[in-house]
Amino acid sequence: MRWALVKVSLAVTAMVVVAFAVPLGLVIREMARDRAFSNAEREAAAVAPALSITTDRDQLERVVASAGSDAAMAVHIPAGDGSGALDIGERRAAAEDIAAVRKLGRASTSTVSGGSALLQPVALSTGEIAVVEVFVPESEVTNGVGTAWAVLAGVGVALILGSVAVADRLGVRMVRPAQRLVEGAHELGEGKLGARVPEEGPNELRLAAVAFNSMADQVVQLLANERELAADLSHRLRTPLTVLRLNAASLGDGPAAEQTRAAVEQLEREVDTIIRTARDAKPQTAAAGPGAGCDAAEVVRERMAFWSALAEDEGRKWRVAGADRPVRIPVARADLAAALDALLGNVFRHTAEGTAFAVDVHNGEDAVIVLVSDAGPGIPDPEGAMARGRGSGSDGSTGLGLDIVRRLAESTGGDVRIGSSVLGGTEVRIWLQLDGRERAPRRRGHRGTVRRRRGPGRLTASFNRPRSLP
């Protein structure tokens, strides 16, 4: 914005300077020419009285010498009354031009070598017409023009530089508050809730800064209220969880009892994590720093061991692939476990007993893909299912589980897609970017292929979307 203002000021000032300097320079040149020919006319007029009295050569030479330079003036007297033609001084003009002036009886100018010649007719006492020729050199015609033009150019440059300096100062005055506003918006977008903008500058930018600071204060207050509400709501679950834990303790021994007690303990841990996170206001989604994150294969094996017991009770066939070797991802262990539990819970909740499911882990050079697929009826509206609070449209579906998975993937620069699985049902693909950079958008309609390179655990980086994905 600052440089745009400077460029506009430079262009406008340059046009104004050109519009005034060029005509003024031409006027100065014409004034110098008029001055030179006016002097020549005065010299010619000084000789006219002597010509009207006498045509004697000696007397006329003395008059010409007193009126001007001998080299610059000449007198041409025609022949008459038995006397021949008389030329005093050096003739520069052409004979045709002198004859034309004598015939017309009015002054004229003629272009000669090195300048111009003023031809002034004068009537003699004999009735003949003599012609006084005054030579005007080119240097006299342009005398002072170059200096005047140089002064005009200097004034124009000074005006342009002055306007640029003024425009730059005005631009700084407007741009600095705008830059502070942009920087404050970036800091607030990065999670720096203490970012504020100085309320200064032009009136519009000052009002924008006031509105931004007010918005930032409201965001801080809303987040604080949300954290308190989440902590309070989570704390209310402690009482029914305590009763549930006591009842689970009285179930005795057996796989179902152990599974119930493990689920209650995990639920208590999750509630405690929610309360601590809400109170401390520390997001737990993205891992940072060298060595941060978890082993996705280990988490998949652990969660499948938990869900396999329920799968056996319901007669579901299940399969795990790609979890036999370590797969490091930049995601906290608890967050990945929560995302897997949300997807596997959806399989058990929204498909009939006996429906098969599978979990596949694909490790690439720049990304890790986790596929959770089932042999159920599928999701008729995949895009709607990804919308928070909508779900798949069936009873008990809110879409919050898929929202947890989406936020987990997006925290690494990846994404989540829903499509059709090879089992005939739904396939949820979680793309976890390893370098944290956002992937370039991919065209729809290309089937996903993951090809292994030579060597264990190495995959090509050309992951494409499945053909059935939206």
Side-chain angles (χ1 to χ4, degrees), residues 279-298:
R279 295 296 186 186
D280 298 339
K282 295 180 180 179
Q284 301 293 327
T285 301
C294 68
D295 182 0
E298 182 181 354

Side-chain angles (χ1 to χ4, degrees), residues 196-359:
R196 297 296 183 273
V197 178
E199 299 174 0
E200 57 186 20
N203 186 51
E204 293 78 5
L205 292 176
R206 186 167 58 251
L207 294 178
V210 171
F212 176 84
N213 293 335
S214 176
M215 177 194 68
D217 294 337
Q218 292 181 3
V219 169
V220 172
Q221 185 62 37
L222 290 174
L223 289 177
N225 295 340
E226 184 179 358
R227 288 194 299 268
E228 291 297 327
L229 179 61
D232 293 342
L233 293 177
S234 301
H235 194 273
R236 295 178 186 179
L237 296 176
R238 287 185 175 275
T239 300
L241 279 176
T242 301
V243 175
L244 184 60
R245 180 167 52 82
L246 294 175
N247 291 338
S250 62
L251 293 178
D253 299 331
E258 292 298 330
Q259 182 180 356
T260 302
R261 283 190 285 270
V264 172
E265 292 176 359
Q266 181 185 0
L267 186 57
E268 286 182 328
R269 288 194 300 269
E270 294 293 340
V271 171
D272 292 340
T273 301
I274 293 174
I275 294 175
R276 286 195 300 270
T277 302
R279 295 296 186 186
D280 298 339
K282 295 180 180 179
Q284 301 293 327
T285 301
C294 68
D295 182 0
E298 182 181 354
V299 176
V300 168
R301 291 195 303 267
E302 176 187 327
R303 300 320 303 157
M304 286 302 296
F306 173 81
W307 289 99
S308 62
L310 183 58
E312 292 177 359
D313 293 341
E314 294 187 358
R316 296 176 181 266
K317 294 181 179 180
W318 56 275
R319 175 181 58 83
V320 177
D324 53 345
R325 56 178 59 89
V327 180
R328 296 295 303 181
I329 58 174
V331 172
R333 181 187 185 90
D335 293 335
L336 179 60
L340 289 174
D341 287 343
L343 294 179
L344 294 174
N346 284 342
V347 173
F348 282 84
R349 186 177 301 110
H350 301 295
T351 61
E353 294 186 5
T355 301
F357 66 95
V359 178

